[in-house]
Amino acid sequence: MAAEADALLRSRAYLALLGFAVLLGVPISAAAFGFLALTAKLEPLIYHDLPRSLGFDGTPPWWPVPMLAVGGVLTALCVRFLPGAGGHEPTDGFSATGTFGLSALPGVFLAALATLSFGAVLGPEAPLLALGGGLAAGSIRLLRPGLPERTYAVVGATGSFAAVSSLLGSPLLGAFLLMEAAGLGGPMLGPVLVPGLLASGIGALIFVGMGSWTGLGTYSLKLPHVPKAADPTAAEFGWALLIGLAAALIAAGLRWLARRLRRHVEGHRLPLTVLLGLVVAGLAIAYAEGSGKPATDVLYSGQTAMGPLLSDAATFSIGTLALLVVCKVLAYSASLRAFRGGPIFPALFVGAAGGVLMSHLPGLPLVAAFATGMGAMSVAMLRLPLTSVLLATLLIGKDGLTVMPLVIVAVVVSYVATAVLSRPPAGAEPDPGAAPGPGAAPGPGGAPGHGTAPASGSVPGHGTAPDTGAGSG
């Protein structure tokens, strides 16, 4: 198998595939930047500028109610009537396999825009993966029809790499996310991964260049003003064990509620999506009225709120933090079932808020609690232990290495506990809403009937040769 991998690396077809990676990385990264910029501009437009233009002195406390209702209507219409069902089904868990056809991409784009702009608690990573992979694979299908399905799958994965190249703060972190989620491994890992890494590097350059040129920034996940972390103590390792268990229990409850809601929403998409949007709005209003903090702490993915949560942790009381965790978890669960988006950023925010809450306990410093909470909640929702450790530590910056041992303990405990809690009873029927493991086939949002490539076109892994076929015929 190693010899086969070396032969592939020296082939003209593989060099052509690398050329495709460069050519695709530029426009797809630019499109991903435009998508993130658009959603970032719509948030203040909808929640700040619009109420003032209608004559209000500020944003009324009840404003999330009509906004989430409108977002629910738009999302439900996209899911119900457009090809692709609006993209990946969030309750199926994070998936990096399968690609959407070009006909499904308008529905994915519009459903994600309605979800992210109006305040539902989901992130942009799943739509970006779908849009990047679909554009790449679909373009090659049009230009070079008749190539092996695995060729289109590898090209689609390359487009996904480019689309999320800078979203998580580092192109390498995005590469680890896709590699672990797709189950890549064996001697063929390098040949399959290299085109994606190349596209990811090109994409990061495009993000930086466009952010500088437009003055908008790169929309990467960053945490400014991180306090200095001290070396871990024995007490902190004990708290890391507890945080890992707590995250697994919270995630189990969150997924259980989302899956129970799923069975009802499937048959009544429009009214129940609107109803669950109103639930999210009500939770945000309850938090704002009960804490005096902005409702946007509960709304949205939490990507831009994590930095202020850490830097302004002293301004959050224990009661406020507890209320924030409860409201965010419930809003996250409702959004998973009804809307379209990714699960990563809300999971990170819930873990971070829970960590800040637990930092009030004796012997648990703020930075250590913040990082372990992020890692534990991330792995409980994503089932990706390596990515979860890297997310929690790289976001902390130079002090990430200091707290990494604590994060690893919390992630391992949460990962094992989640596996135990997710195991169905003996003889029980599988839950149709259960999240697949890493590398599983796409769920309803990624079924062939919704504009995706067939199962044979999923990203190859575990030593399977990509069979590129690029440059042939």
Side-chain angles (χ1 to χ4, degrees), residues 200-215:
S200 187
I202 297 295
L205 292 175
I206 297 299
F207 266 64
V208 171
M210 294 193 68
S212 176
W213 176 58
T214 61

Side-chain angles (χ1 to χ4, degrees), residues 120-368:
V121 186
L122 289 171
E125 69 280 358
L128 282 178
L129 288 173
L131 292 170
L135 284 172
S139 299
I140 296 302
R141 282 182 185 276
L142 290 177
L143 295 173
R144 300 293 303 274
L147 295 178
E149 282 298 323
R150 285 175 179 168
T151 301
Y152 300 124
V154 173
V155 172
T158 300
S160 296
F161 272 75
V164 297
S165 57
S166 289
L167 182 63
L168 300 176
S170 166
L172 187 60
L173 190 51
F176 269 107
L177 171 69
L178 292 174
M179 179 182 70
E180 190 174 18
L184 295 176
M188 296 305 299
L189 171 60
V192 174
L193 192 59
V194 165
L197 285 174
L198 180 58
S200 187
I202 297 295
L205 292 175
I206 297 299
F207 266 64
V208 171
M210 294 193 68
S212 176
W213 176 58
T214 61
L216 297 174
T218 60
Y219 301 106
S220 297
L221 179 58
K222 293 181 180 178
L223 297 176
H225 312 300
V226 177
K228 185 172 179 57
D231 291 334
T233 64
E236 290 172 33
F237 278 100
W239 287 125
L241 292 170
L242 182 60
I243 289 174
L245 289 172
L249 290 171
I250 292 172
L254 191 157
R255 286 193 303 270
W256 177 87
L257 178 58
R259 291 169 188 166
R260 294 306 175 272
L261 292 172
R262 174 176 185 166
R263 298 174 178 177
H264 300 286
V265 172
E266 291 292 350
H268 306 85
R269 170 65 60 180
L270 180 58
L272 288 186
T273 300
V274 174
L275 178 61
L276 290 174
L278 295 178
V279 169
V280 173
L283 290 166
I285 294 170
Y287 167 77
E289 294 299 308
S291 66
K293 298 286 186 178
T296 49
D297 285 353
V298 172
L299 300 175
Y300 299 103
S301 67
Q303 176 184 356
T304 59
M306 274 190 286
L309 176 66
L310 179 60
S311 59
D312 302 333
T315 67
F316 287 81
S317 67
I318 294 176
T320 296
L321 289 167
L323 183 62
L324 174 59
V325 170
V326 171
C327 291
K328 192 76 171 185
V329 165
L330 293 176
Y332 183 19
S333 183
S335 299
L336 278 172
R337 178 47 266 167
F339 291 87
R340 288 292 188 261
I344 295 178
F345 291 113
L348 288 172
F349 184 86
V350 169
V356 175
L357 173 61
M358 295 194 70
S359 70
H360 289 271
L361 297 169
L364 183 58
L366 174 62
V367 175

